[in-house]
Amino acid sequence: MTLNTQPGTKSPLRRRASTPLPRVPGAAPRAELGHPQLGQTSSEPGARALAPRGSWSSESSASSSCWEHRVVLLGDPGVGKTSLANAFAGIQERDVLEQHGEAAYERTLLVDGEETTLLVMDTWEPERKGESWRRNQCLQMGNAYVIVYSITDRSSFESASELRIHLRRARQAEDIPIILVGNKSDLVRCREVSIEEGRACAVVFDCKFIETSAALQHNVDELFEGVVRQLRLRREGKEPASSHRRKESLSRKARRFLDRLVARNSSKVTLKARSKSCHDLSVL
Ligand SMILES: Nc1nc2c(ncn2[C@@H]2O[C@H](COP(=O)(O)OP(=O)(O)OP(=O)(O)O)[C@@H](O)[C@H]2O)c(=O)[nH]1
């Protein structure tokens, strides 16, 4: 992955707490908000933190065309959502102290030769009385979701399953990319959730799976590259006969066909196939 971030230019970040987050069509066009057009590389160095936690507009909607790819981080407190967002944004620990409270990070990634801008949102908060609308909004606004648990905390793993169920209810019939992430993989001695359990959960809940360490920056790039690929695979699925689709190799087409055939033949085989591919973020 190539980033629009030059080494050594990641800080200082400019705080843009006054910048509104995604708005519904009809609101101020993006250019007026001072952001580059989507698909363009940001001219500012580094990723940009855009808004403090909890300050996003209630007008935001998943159908907004202002931000092409909103990636929402979900998960229990303390599992490492902010750390993953910071690692995505290339923010060092010292910057985190300075930038405390920021909750959305925009960054343009070059994946497989194509640029894609992700807006990673770290806005998920513990349930508060009378504020369930906040959580509902999070479940409605994402174009992709990253459900994080800590491999050192079984209850966070159980919460991740519940979140997947909430998400399925909130976005019925929508095929949105969901990645289950077992974070803190560096803490091997404190592990409470095995990699097999994580994978099995992803298979049951029909999502992708990866273990990361935000602390060691392990698999963080792979995670967000995977999000981009998952988004593209769905986009390609919707496009009739795009040039990109035409470029698909014959062997890949044949493999997809066979996979589908096999999947149809036996649910057991389907599960096996899915468990084989749930950690491959470059296929559906
Ligand atoms: N060892 C290790 N520690 C991590 C990792 N990711 C996060 N942490 C630590 O776990 C703690 C919680 O991390 P956060 O990123 O604040 O977790 P969060 O999910 O954003 O928590 P809330 O803000 O409460 O929702 C911090 O002390 C992090 O330094 C990791 O991959 N490995």
Side-chain angles (χ1 to χ4, degrees):
M1 177 173 57
T2 308
L3 308 166
N4 63 341
T5 310
Q6 296 299 314
T9 59
K10 285 170 181 168
S11 61
L13 290 168
R14 268 199 264 155
R15 178 168 176 151
R16 306 194 54 155
S18 60
T19 307
L21 275 177
R23 293 196 163 269
V24 287
R30 194 176 164 172
E32 288 172 28
L33 300 176
H35 297 298
Q37 295 296 311
L38 281 172
Q40 284 181 1
T41 306
S42 166
S43 56
E44 283 182 50
R48 293 172 305 164
L50 297 175
R53 241 181 217 229
S55 75
W56 31 275
S57 162
S58 61
E59 291 167 29
S60 303
S61 126
S63 61
S64 166
S65 57
C66 293
W67 302 100
E68 235 181 328
H69 301 301
R70 242 173 281 151
V71 183
V72 179
L73 300 174
L74 305 177
D76 271 3
V79 295
K81 298 182 297 298
T82 305
S83 305
L84 282 169
N86 286 329
F88 162 78
I91 299 175
Q92 312 287 321
E93 220 168 293
R94 64 172 195 283
D95 299 323
V96 175
L97 295 171
E98 288 161 17
Q99 299 288 318
H100 189 70
E102 302 294 358
Y105 306 87
E106 182 197 33
R107 191 175 180 191
T108 300
L109 310 179
L110 185 63
V111 180
D112 303 333
E114 192 187 333
E115 283 191 339
T116 297
T117 300
L118 294 185
L119 180 71
V120 172
M121 311 199 64
D122 177 26
T123 46
W124 187 250
E125 289 181 342
E127 185 89 76
R128 283 195 219 138
K129 220 177 167 191
E131 293 206 356
S132 58
W133 62 269
R134 270 188 197 284
R135 289 191 147 213
N136 289 338
Q137 196 171 37
C138 276
L139 297 178
Q140 291 297 335
M141 75 193 312
N143 304 116
Y145 286 86
V146 171
I147 303 180
V148 188
Y149 67 90
S150 164
I151 64 141
T152 66
D153 176 4
R154 179 158 290 278
S155 73
S156 73
F157 179 60
E158 282 153 15
S159 297
S161 303
E162 284 164 27
L163 282 169
R164 176 69 186 94
I165 293 166
H166 284 310
L167 197 51
R168 185 179 279 168
R169 269 196 216 125
R171 306 289 292 272
Q172 277 174 28
E174 281 184 71
D175 184 21
I176 37 176
I178 300 171
I179 323 276
L180 179 68
V181 175
N183 189 41
K184 307 198 186 182
S185 62
D186 56 297
L187 298 177
V188 277
R189 290 190 179 184
C190 310
R191 185 186 275 276
E192 287 184 7
V193 184
S194 71
I195 194 161
E196 290 76 21
E197 286 176 288
R199 198 173 290 157
C201 181
V203 171
V204 169
F205 286 110
D206 194 17
C207 54
K208 292 291 172 184
F209 172 71
I210 190 167
E211 280 199 351
T212 58
S213 166
L216 300 183
Q217 297 254 353
H218 176 65
N219 272 351
V220 176
D221 286 351
E222 286 75 1
L223 165 63
F224 290 103
E225 279 180 19
V227 170
V228 169
R229 292 195 177 103
Q230 289 298 306
L231 284 160
R232 283 183 194 163
L233 284 164
R234 281 159 180 81
R235 179 192 68 191
E236 284 162 17
K238 281 179 198 150
E239 281 171 9
S242 72
S243 53
H244 193 90
R245 213 173 154 77
R246 259 180 261 128
K247 274 188 226 153
E248 188 179 39
S249 74
L250 205 62
S251 62
R252 204 170 159 165
K253 263 188 199 160
R255 205 176 336 127
R256 274 202 302 132
F257 173 75
L258 284 172
D259 282 351
R260 254 185 268 141
L261 203 69
V262 168
R264 253 182 242 141
N265 284 345
S266 152
S267 59
K268 207 171 162 192
V269 178
T270 309
L271 273 183
K272 210 171 163 193
R274 271 209 236 131
S275 72
K276 265 191 193 165
S277 71
C278 77
H279 59 273
D280 184 351
L281 274 60
S282 65
V283 296
L284 275 177

